[in-house]
């Protein structure tokens, strides 16, 4: 069924051993009967349970395409394949620390094939990246320079080297953005065909800095024919005046970076920890009232289930879109310590899925698979199949 095993120490002379030598016990599923048991108990499709387990467990790469304790990204058709090909991004483990193994063009669990994979690559931190031909993400503030949030892998500066950190050139000035879009256009990007440009980045330092930057991105992109949605992923815009300015840009969306509901002073950098759930709801309600599309980002694995349920229930009516909920993936000792103790086991994540579905009942909002490489939902939500969404790659 399942055993509790320590994640083994990585053997390397190039990094400090604190990185993934946690010696903390995480549940490692060694029999698919565990998936069936949880699927029946919680009335969740067994394929969904398996994919949740995959994201929380990580993957072994016997051929060494990506080093242990780094991250791998790839497209795959996994389990029943009902949703077609989807992107996944997760930590690479040593063999024996996970029973999910990607080898050649297939994914195995316990030696049995459970899907096919392609485009296996190192998951890097870039100044920008695309999710298919119509979605562009900008890490304007160099996301790899973030620090202070214990759950975030970018808080641990010894983890990665220059093979991963590739976002040192910030996109802050008009000249920066003009040069960036010119280079992307030369490489074949049709800016006018983009349906969304998302600024997903570290802290700007002030509300006005965010507003000014979003205006600048909108201005530079519009000159190249962009008429899609402009999205800001963060928590630094909270005043009515600032939200009015952003709403004035037209097709605008806000993803509020909440991350977790409890122990915020212990887990988050000071700027974020000072924001209460009351503050977040007020901002989301204000944004919604001004015609801005609203949702929030959350990490499943940090809060007790009852607090998770209360938080989603409290914020539900301030949203126009389903929250982006990530399965918590750990790569460092401190990340493991930040976990709710129950989150070391698979059952916690199945319970989280059910709890959020219950809290969101009546909202008519549904998760969107392409938004998230490590979700709690894949092809089904609350007993119903998820329709194919636009923008999907």
């Amino acid at each position: 069924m399942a055993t509790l095993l320590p994640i083994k120490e990585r053997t390397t002379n190039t990094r400090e051993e604190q990185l993934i030598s946690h010696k903390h016990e995480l549940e490692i599923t060694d029999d698919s009967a565990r998936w069936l048991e949880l699927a029946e108990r919680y009335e969740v499709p067994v394929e969904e349970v398996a994919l949740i387990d995959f994201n929380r467990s990580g993957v072994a790469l016997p051929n060494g395409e990506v080093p242990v304790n780094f991250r791998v990204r790839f497209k795959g058709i996994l389990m029943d394949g009902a949703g077609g090909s989807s992107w996944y991004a997760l930590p690479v483990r040593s063999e024996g620390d996970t029973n999910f193994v990607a080898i050649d063009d297939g994914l195995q669990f316990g030696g049995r094939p459970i899907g096919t994979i392609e485009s296996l690559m190192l998951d890097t931190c870039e100044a920008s990246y695309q999710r298919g031909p119509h979605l562009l993400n900008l890490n304007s503030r160099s996301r790899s320079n973030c620090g202070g949030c214990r759950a975030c892998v970018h808080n641990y500066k010894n983890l990665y080297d220059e093979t991963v950190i590739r976002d040192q050139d910030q996109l802050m000035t008009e000249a920066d953005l003009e040069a960036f879009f010119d280079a992307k256009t030369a490489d074949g990007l049709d800016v006018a065909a983009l349906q969304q440009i998302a600024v997903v980045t570290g802290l700007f330092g002030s509300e006005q800095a965010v507003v000014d930057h979003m205006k600048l991105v909108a201005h530079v992109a519009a000159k190249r024919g962009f008429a899609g949605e402009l999205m800001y992923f963060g928590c630094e815009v909270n005043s009515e005046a600032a939200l009015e300015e952003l709403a004035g840009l037209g097709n605008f969306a806000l993803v509020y970076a909440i991350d977790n509901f409890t122990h915020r002073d212990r887990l988050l950098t000071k700027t974020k920890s000072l924001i209460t759930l009351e503050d977040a709801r007020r901002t989301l309600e204000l944004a919604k009232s001004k015609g801005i599309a609203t949702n929030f980002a959350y990490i499943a694995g940090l809060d007790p289930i009852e607090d998770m349920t209360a938080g989603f229930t409290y914020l539900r009516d301030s949203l126009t879109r389903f929250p982006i909920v990530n399965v918590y993936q750990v790569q460092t000792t401190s990340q493991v310590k930040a976990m709710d103790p129950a989150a070391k086991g698979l059952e916690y994540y199945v319970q989280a899925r059910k709890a959020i579905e219950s809290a969101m009942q009546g909202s008519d909002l549904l998760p969107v698979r392409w938004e998230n490489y490590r979700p709690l939902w894949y092809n089904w939500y609350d007993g119903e199949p998820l329709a194919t969404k636009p923008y999907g790659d």
Side-chain angles (χ1 to χ4, degrees):
M1 297 289 286
T3 56
L4 291 177
L5 297 174
I7 291 182
K8 297 176 183 177
E9 294 187 14
R10 62 179 297 184
T11 55
T12 176
N13 294 320
T14 61
R15 278 175 183 73
E16 297 178 12
E17 289 304 322
Q18 65 183 19
L19 302 179
I20 199 63
S21 61
H22 11 288
K23 301 180 182 177
H24 287 262
E25 290 186 341
L26 303 178
E27 181 185 27
I28 299 175
T29 308
D30 52 28
D31 191 330
S32 59
R34 176 63 168 160
W35 302 339
L36 290 167
E37 173 199 340
L38 293 173
E40 292 175 359
R41 186 188 311 168
Y42 292 99
E43 299 182 325
V44 173
V46 66
E47 295 85 2
E48 304 275 297
V49 176
L51 289 171
I52 292 170
D53 197 18
F54 176 49
N55 263 309
R56 60 169 284 276
S57 299
V59 65
L61 303 178
N63 292 338
E65 296 93 339
V66 175
V68 171
N69 206 37
F70 282 57
R71 297 177 59 81
V72 64
R73 182 171 73 243
F74 61 84
K75 291 178 73 173
I77 301 176
L78 308 185
M79 302 307 295
D80 64 0
S85 181
S86 295
W87 281 98
Y88 298 84
L90 62 168
V92 179
R93 306 293 194 207
S94 299
E95 290 188 75
D97 290 337
T98 177
N99 283 313
F100 293 94
V101 179
I103 185 166
D104 298 328
D105 59 353
L107 181 70
Q108 302 176 3
F109 175 77
R112 292 178 299 169
I114 60 170
T116 59
I117 59 175
E118 61 175 313
S119 305
L120 192 150
M121 66 190 78
L122 176 69
D123 191 27
T124 59
C125 191
E126 306 277 358
S128 73
Y129 59 96
Q130 288 182 247
R131 293 177 184 261
H134 304 300
L135 301 166
L136 178 67
N137 282 27
L138 303 180
N139 285 335
S140 301
R141 286 284 295 174
S142 183
R143 190 172 178 84
S144 66
N145 286 327
C146 285
C149 294
R150 292 182 61 193
C152 179
V153 71
H154 296 300
N155 188 50
Y156 304 96
K157 302 305 180 185
N158 293 322
L159 182 59
Y160 292 140
D161 59 20
E162 66 279 359
T163 64
V164 176
I165 303 303
R166 301 177 183 175
D167 66 343
Q168 295 303 300
D169 295 328
Q170 297 186 18
L171 303 173
M172 293 303 298
T173 68
E174 184 168 2
D176 292 340
L177 288 166
E178 293 280 8
F180 166 80
F181 278 108
D182 285 346
K184 296 294 285 187
T185 300
D187 287 340
L189 175 67
D190 183 356
V191 178
L194 290 174
Q195 297 183 40
Q196 183 191 78
I197 295 177
V199 175
V200 184
T201 191
L203 296 172
F204 280 79
S206 74
E207 180 178 75
Q208 193 58 51
V210 176
V211 173
D212 291 345
H213 183 69
M214 299 309 296
K215 287 181 175 180
L216 190 58
V217 172
H219 169 69
V220 173
K223 290 197 296 183
R224 291 161 173 78
F226 174 69
E229 178 180 272
L230 185 61
M231 186 263 275
Y232 165 62
F233 188 121
C235 60
E236 291 182 285
V237 177
N238 292 282
S239 74
E240 184 170 7
L243 290 167
E244 283 182 354
E245 287 193 77
L246 294 178
L249 295 177
N251 189 5
F252 198 86
L254 169 65
V255 180
Y256 206 89
I258 290 179
D259 296 346
N260 58 285
F261 302 140
T262 63
H263 307 296
R264 291 176 61 80
D265 57 339
R266 179 171 64 88
L267 298 181
L268 300 176
T269 190
K270 184 176 181 180
T271 300
K272 296 177 75 171
S273 69
L274 294 176
I275 298 170
T276 67
L277 294 192
E278 291 77 15
D279 294 332
R281 186 170 77 169
R282 175 185 173 277
T283 295
L284 289 164
E285 287 175 343
L286 272 173
K288 181 179 176 181
S289 73
K290 298 182 183 304
I292 293 174
T294 57
N295 66 346
F296 68 88
Y298 181 80
I299 303 169
L302 303 176
D303 294 320
I305 296 295
E306 58 270 22
D307 293 300
M308 182 187 304
T309 304
F312 275 81
T313 302
Y314 180 72
L315 295 170
R316 177 188 60 205
D317 294 338
S318 64
L319 307 177
T320 67
R321 296 178 181 173
F322 196 89
I324 298 173
V325 182
N326 290 280
V327 171
Y328 189 34
Q329 297 175 339
V330 296
Q331 293 169 257
T332 72
T333 302
S334 292
Q335 284 182 295
V336 176
K337 291 178 180 178
M339 275 182 156
D340 181 78
K344 295 180 182 180
L346 171 60
E347 185 172 7
Y348 169 96
Y349 295 93
V350 183
Q351 291 174 335
R353 173 178 163 133
K354 297 295 289 186
I356 295 170
E357 288 177 353
S358 176
M360 295 297 292
Q361 278 187 350
S363 70
D364 296 325
L365 304 178
L366 296 171
V368 179
R369 175 66 180 94
W370 61 259
E371 288 183 326
N372 192 344
Y373 290 173
R374 52 195 71 86
L376 284 175
W377 297 271
Y378 299 84
N379 303 317
W380 293 82
Y381 177 83
D382 200 18
E384 299 292 333
L386 284 170
T388 301
K389 298 296 180 180
Y391 304 166
D393 179 9

